[in-house]
Amino acid sequence: LRGFLPPRSEWLLFAQMPTEQRDAYDALAAGALAAANGSGVLGAIHQLCAACSHPQLVGAADDNEEALVLELDYDGGGGGAQVRAPAADAKSFSAAAADASTGEAFVLRSGKLALAEALLLRLLRGTDEKVVVVCRFLKTLALLDGVCARAGFESVRLDGSTAAANRQELVEVFNVCDQCRHDASFKASRARACAHGERGPRVFLLTARAGGLGLTIVGAS
């Protein structure tokens, strides 16, 4: 495949934490080190990852690892018989980031989310490219969903709550604009993506586990 694919570039970016976020992270890290007796380690790691995404994602102090993972909505892939409904409060995170008057301040409480928003907006406003964004947690995905809504960009979202029967349809909606999907000559070409990046959804929001199920998202660069 190397002869057919363009070179891939990987950039590792470091986002500076604002004071509130740094304080939340340091407090979690100190608590994890003080209680480092082999129990609750997985939960502590998940909480630290959540704090890196946004300080409001940090949950209650619960030593039960399973409870912590569920509270943060770590996506297990799902699909088919394992479909799970998104947590109700995930919608509140999306609404907070989407709010026209307070959304920007909410996003700026997280260095990582602010950097993600800046990168997204630069790509979406400055080019016709489409973008795939992959997250570990459903609530982080909800935050980015809100960011896209506030900026006026349509997004497609696929996570563990998406039924397996609907996943390919979402991929096709993203890869091919509505006009081309109904064009007989385009259908006859059997192409898997069209060149109209400015049409239809520009952002595909995906959880890491759900994205590991053989999806072919060729609409984005």
Side-chain angles (χ1 to χ4, degrees), residues 25 44-54 112 136-137:
Y25 184 93
I45 291 173
H46 279 285
Q47 287 277 34
L48 289 170
C49 289
C52 288
S53 291
H54 197 283
K112 188 175 183 180
R136 290 181 63 197
F137 297 115

Side-chain angles (χ1 to χ4, degrees), residues 17 24 43 52 61 74 77 89 133 158 181 185 216:
M17 290 184 181
C52 288
Y74 178 68
D89 57 349
V133 182
L158 194 159
R181 276 189 292 120
S185 59
T216 306

Side-chain angles (χ1 to χ4, degrees), residues 26-221:
D26 288 345
L28 284 169
L33 289 173
N37 57 3
S39 64
V41 174
L42 178 60
I45 291 173
H46 279 285
Q47 287 277 34
L48 289 170
C49 289
C52 288
S53 291
H54 197 283
Q56 197 157 322
L57 295 184
V58 177
D62 190 333
D63 290 332
N64 184 286
E65 293 181 355
E66 183 178 0
L68 281 168
V69 171
L70 290 175
E71 182 179 346
L72 294 173
D73 282 335
Y74 178 68
D75 191 52
Q82 299 179 16
V83 170
R84 50 171 296 187
D89 57 349
K91 295 181 180 179
S92 69
F93 287 108
S94 180
D99 190 278
S101 58
T102 61
E104 182 177 0
F106 183 82
V107 167
L108 290 176
R109 291 170 60 193
S110 163
K112 188 175 183 180
L113 189 61
L115 177 59
E117 180 181 52
L119 288 171
L120 266 177
L121 295 186
R122 181 170 180 176
L123 285 168
L124 297 174
R125 290 173 177 170
T127 74
D128 289 334
E129 302 293 342
K130 293 187 176 185
V131 183
V132 176
V133 182
V134 183
C135 301
R136 290 181 63 197
F137 297 115
L138 294 173
K139 288 179 181 176
T140 309
L141 210 66
L143 289 173
L144 288 165
D145 198 11
V147 165
C148 291
R150 179 161 48 86
F153 291 104
E154 185 181 358
S155 62
V156 173
R157 176 173 171 169
L158 194 159
D159 55 46
S161 68
T162 308
N166 299 333
R167 296 187 176 203
Q168 187 56 39
E169 180 182 357
L170 289 177
V171 172
E172 291 175 0
V173 165
F174 181 76
N175 286 340
V176 182
C177 72
D178 188 66
Q179 180 177 330
C180 288
R181 276 189 292 120
H182 295 90
D183 182 85
S185 59
F186 183 84
K187 288 182 177 180
S189 72
R190 303 180 68 84
R192 304 182 75 174
C194 69
H196 305 124
E198 73 281 2
R199 300 177 187 167
R202 297 280 305 282
V203 182
F204 199 112
L205 299 173
L206 182 68
T207 53
R209 293 292 293 276
L213 300 177
L215 300 175
T216 306
I217 309 173
V218 295
S221 63

